[in-house]
Amino acid sequence: MRLRQGIVAQSIFFTAAAIVALSTAALLLFTGSRGLAVFGYMNPAEFFLSGSWNQNDENFGVLPLLAGSLLTVGLALLISGPLALGVSIFMVEIAPEPVRRVMRTVVELFAALPSVIYGLLGLTLVVPWVRESFGGGLGKGILAASIVLVFMTQPTIVSIAEDALRALPESLREGALAVGATRWQMIWRVLLPAARPGLITAVVLGTGRAVGETIAVQMVIGNITSRMPKSLLTGATTMPAAIVTQLPEATSPEHRAALIMVAFLLLVITFSLIAAVRAAGSRGKARPTTRRRPSPAAQTAAVKGGD
Amino acid sequence: MSEQTSGHRTLAVRESSARADAPAAIEARDFNFYYGDFRALEQITMLAPRHQITALIGPSGAGKSTLLRAMNRMHDETPGVSSDGQLLLEGADINGFSDLIDLRKRVGMIFQRPNPFPMSIFDNVAYGLRLKSQGAKKGVIAEQVEQALRGAAIWDEVKDKLQQSGLALSGGQQQRLCIARAIAVEPEVLLMDEPCAALDPIATLKIEELMGELEERYTIVIVTHNLQQAGRVSDQTVFLSMNPETRAGFVVEVGPTQQIFTNPKDDRTLAYISGRFG
Ligand SMILES: Nc1ncnc2c1ncn2[C@@H]1O[C@H](COP(=O)(O)OP(=O)(O)O)[C@@H](O)[C@H]1O
Ligand SMILES: [Mg+2]
């Protein structure tokens, strides 16, 4: 009986794993082959090196999209990473239990907000603020998109970083305090280094969320694809924003192929980030005496958080 | 060591260097400790003489760890705790220390599970030193690290791999590394809460030998559930028990280890000791 159940469970498990593996392969194969078709219309050098993406003269250079993504995500993470780290340190090491519970709820709420709500708030609050504070233009652009992404990535990074810090054994804290460390010295020199693999995972998954974010960014970035981003304040675009803006109106096969190629690049970037998370995770595992990897549940939740 | 026979029990008790007139490094007088409303320690009176090893023994839940942790205020991080009565370090009220960091530097602690930091062996030992004297010269730190590692009888095992992670050491080595970390800041008192509970017998023996050497420079207070160990290493023994109704821990008997183990004055001590050895 036991044995039979084991076999059934195992075959369900294997089937599920096979489905996941196959659909991932199919996804890569589909976008890869459809996207690579773009090189039937233009040579790779043109696609990767041209600084203009303009459907009117059938010129599809991916650089404005890549640069927009890089700048938006980079700027967002520069603010979001340290901020989230501070918030999670506060939650684990400083805040009294009731405060922590409230913050936890707020974080969960932020995580559950649909992207379009972030976009709406960005449009009604952030864009006018950027316009008024920095002058000139419409206020739509990389800065506005980055600010929206700061808020969107907080829940991902905070929840995983909080788990990583909380998973540190109490004995580590006591050990530091017992040799005369102040609370800050304990946090700075002992806890943060000990939690590093988990903290890296948190930031990388936050990056994944920022890279893939579509609607909210599209609503505040201005969607200018035809040239390289000129400043943080003028209109630009990102890879997913360009896809969602242009795909419905892409009539030429060349345009469609170019957009699917961008989607393929996005997939490659996302997979690389996941590989980076795994690498950080296994480095943590190599030292068995400290438990400090975030729970798998938290990782899954964070991945699901993206859209 | 001398073999002493008491009834049907054979027990190794070290030749005591205990002197009743030795001044107290740590002393408790009618000390009470509370977790919220729960009184965990009741009217504790005991002393730990300078440069001797004092063992706290007694059944689980009697408050041994609570008393030990009160001695360097590890409880300060726990919400809702309070205490009254006196607990003194060299005559000064431990709870009156305005500088907690200073107290912890004078009263070091070794924990039940070895807890090296996830950094190199060298940095583990240097950690407290760097906190103590920020901007100290590298050479000075290196010298003090070596001294501490020698003092903890682990230098020969690690001198060629000081930059390796402290977590890569065996459990017994990790515990001696933690002892090195603690003595690096030159405390007066070392508190040890069941320091061998997670170690194998050989590693345990090494730590016990080490304690004999450390005694010359430090006052040691050790909690142990292992009576043989208390007999082997300690000069003084404090036997704590628990009030069956209130569950508060109290001191049954304090005395030189030899006397407590071979000729206890209190029947409850006798019952506990013969129960554990029988
Ligand atoms: N943080 C705490 N909060 C509340 N009660 C505690 C706490 N720590 C220990 N106690 C209680 O205090 C009593 C003494 O515990 P402890 O000092 O750990 O005993 P021992 O070390 O002798 O086994 C026990 O009844 C225990 O349940
Ligand atoms: Mg205990």
Side-chain angles (χ1 to χ4, degrees):
Chain A
M1 202 53 207
R2 261 266 182 82
L3 191 69
R4 172 97 34 97
Q5 273 179 0
I7 290 172
V8 171
Q10 230 174 33
S11 44
I12 290 176
F13 183 75
F14 273 118
T15 315
I19 290 174
V20 170
L22 276 176
S23 43
T24 308
L27 188 67
L28 276 173
L29 215 67
F30 170 78
T31 50
S33 65
R34 295 277 297 270
L36 287 168
V38 76
F39 299 135
Y41 303 97
M42 59 201 298
N43 67 40
E46 225 179 314
F47 180 80
F48 284 110
L49 300 177
S50 159
S52 169
W53 177 292
N54 192 336
Q55 62 265 46
N56 296 327
D57 35 328
E58 299 278 282
N59 182 21
F60 301 110
V62 78
L63 277 186
L65 284 56
L66 264 177
S69 276
L70 199 74
L71 286 170
T72 315
V73 173
L75 185 60
L77 263 292
L78 221 56
I79 303 167
S80 182
L83 180 65
L85 209 61
V87 170
S88 47
I89 289 172
F90 179 78
M91 286 173 76
V92 179
E93 300 297 331
I94 297 161
E97 185 57 27
V99 175
R100 194 193 74 81
R101 254 199 308 258
V102 171
M103 292 181 73
R104 181 97 224 180
T105 312
V106 172
V107 168
E108 277 161 14
L109 192 83
F110 267 54
L113 280 188
S115 289
V116 69
I117 301 292
Y118 279 102
L120 208 63
L121 291 173
L123 208 52
T124 52
L125 298 175
V126 178
V127 170
W129 179 78
V130 169
R131 190 168 52 218
E132 265 137 50
S133 315
F134 298 93
L138 297 168
K140 287 190 178 182
I142 289 174
L143 181 62
S146 296
I147 294 173
V148 170
L149 285 180
V150 167
F151 287 99
M152 295 191 78
T153 48
Q154 282 301 294
T156 307
I157 308 181
V158 168
S159 64
I160 299 171
E162 195 209 344
D163 274 359
L165 287 171
R166 190 167 302 282
L168 294 175
E170 195 53 34
S171 63
L172 220 50
R173 295 183 178 84
E174 292 188 330
L177 294 175
V179 283
T182 62
R183 203 194 272 237
W184 278 113
Q185 288 167 331
M186 167 192 82
I187 292 171
W188 201 244
R189 310 267 275 280
V190 176
L191 299 189
L192 290 187
R196 197 166 63 194
L199 300 179
I200 291 174
T201 301
V203 172
V204 172
L205 288 177
T207 311
R209 164 126 223 224
V211 168
E213 178 49 41
T214 308
I215 295 298
V217 169
Q218 194 232 9
M219 287 167 80
V220 301
I221 200 166
N223 302 306
I224 306 294
T225 60
S226 56
R227 52 167 168 74
M228 295 296 282
K230 276 201 301 204
S231 78
L232 299 181
L233 299 173
T234 50
T237 191
T238 64
M239 298 164 71
I243 295 172
V244 77
T245 311
Q246 297 192 358
L247 202 56
E249 59 201 41
T251 41
S252 76
E254 189 177 347
H255 193 187
R256 292 190 77 86
L259 287 170
I260 294 175
M261 187 60 197
V262 173
F264 179 65
L265 291 179
L266 206 52
L267 269 180
V268 170
I269 292 173
T270 309
F271 284 178
S272 314
L273 289 175
I274 290 172
V277 169
R278 301 230 124 196
S282 60
R283 248 193 309 137
K285 223 194 243 166
R287 296 163 173 170
T289 35
T290 43
R291 296 170 291 115
R292 63 181 120 105
R293 285 194 338 137
S295 66
Q299 290 197 18
T300 324
V303 172
K304 274 201 310 223
D307 60 0
Chain B
M1 297 269 184
S2 66
E3 292 286 303
Q4 305 233 351
T5 317
S6 163
H8 61 284
R9 289 168 285 122
T10 306
L11 165 65
V13 176
R14 72 193 240 144
E15 291 295 3
S16 180
S17 58
R19 300 186 321 271
D21 59 338
I26 288 200
E27 182 172 4
R29 287 195 209 130
D30 297 328
F31 180 70
N32 295 291
F33 190 92
Y34 310 83
Y35 292 107
D37 293 336
F38 169 61
R39 173 157 32 182
L41 294 175
E42 183 173 6
Q43 299 294 102
I44 302 294
T45 296
M46 51 84 57
L47 54 81
R50 251 184 240 163
H51 299 285
Q52 293 192 16
I53 299 178
T54 301
L56 305 183
I57 64 168
S60 178
K64 305 179 295 294
S65 298
T66 300
L67 179 57
L68 195 76
R69 293 164 65 87
M71 292 173 182
N72 73 342
R73 285 176 52 190
M74 273 328 262
H75 295 299
D76 275 29
E77 307 297 321
T78 317
V81 303
S82 59
S83 63
D84 54 49
Q86 282 186 306
L87 189 60
L88 310 170
L89 169 65
E90 295 293 344
D93 182 11
I94 285 175
N95 287 311
F97 267 73
S98 56
D99 187 353
L100 195 56
I101 312 302
D102 179 50
L103 171 69
R104 302 237 172 97
K105 278 169 186 160
R106 291 177 60 188
V107 185
M109 189 156 199
I110 311 296
F111 298 85
Q112 184 167 350
R113 300 204 134 271
N115 58 350
F117 303 138
M119 49 178 86
S120 74
I121 291 169
F122 185 93
D123 287 343
N124 260 283
V125 183
Y127 183 82
L129 289 171
R130 290 181 178 139
L131 296 178
K132 192 175 166 189
S133 47
Q134 282 178 354
K137 290 221 177 66
K138 271 195 176 156
V140 177
I141 296 255
E143 204 168 289
Q144 287 171 322
V145 167
E146 175 174 342
Q147 257 178 25
L149 287 166
R150 284 188 190 280
I154 190 178
W155 172 251
D156 288 334
E157 290 155 73
V158 301
K159 64 170 184 269
D160 298 323
K161 48 178 182 182
L162 292 175
Q163 294 312 319
Q164 285 180 21
S165 170
L167 299 175
L169 298 171
S170 73
Q173 290 174 324
Q174 286 189 8
Q175 195 61 299
R176 277 178 287 143
L177 177 63
C178 291
I179 292 174
R181 183 175 73 193
I183 63 178
V185 295
E186 298 181 332
E188 296 158 37
V189 180
L190 278 179
L191 308 174
M192 302 185 170
D193 195 347
E194 303 195 24
C196 304
L199 306 182
D200 63 66
I202 292 173
T204 298
L205 193 67
K206 280 210 177 114
I207 301 267
E208 289 182 5
E209 280 171 12
L210 173 58
M211 288 175 67
E213 293 165 24
L214 292 172
E215 183 182 17
E216 286 171 20
R217 301 188 55 183
Y218 311 98
T219 303
I220 296 178
V221 184
I222 177 176
V223 169
T224 176
H225 63 265
N226 178 334
L227 288 191
Q228 278 91 343
Q229 181 170 63
R232 284 191 297 266
V233 303
S234 71
D235 306 292
Q236 305 281 337
T237 294
V238 178
F239 174 49
L240 291 162
S241 188
M242 205 190 331
N243 181 321
E245 269 145 50
T246 65
R247 305 188 59 76
F250 64 97
V251 173
V252 177
E253 188 169 355
V254 185
T257 298
Q258 205 163 10
Q259 175 248 309
I260 295 269
F261 276 58
T262 56
N263 187 21
K265 297 204 174 80
D266 196 296
D267 287 347
R268 291 169 293 189
T269 315
L270 180 63
Y272 180 71
I273 287 177
S274 39
R276 293 295 294 262
F277 278 109

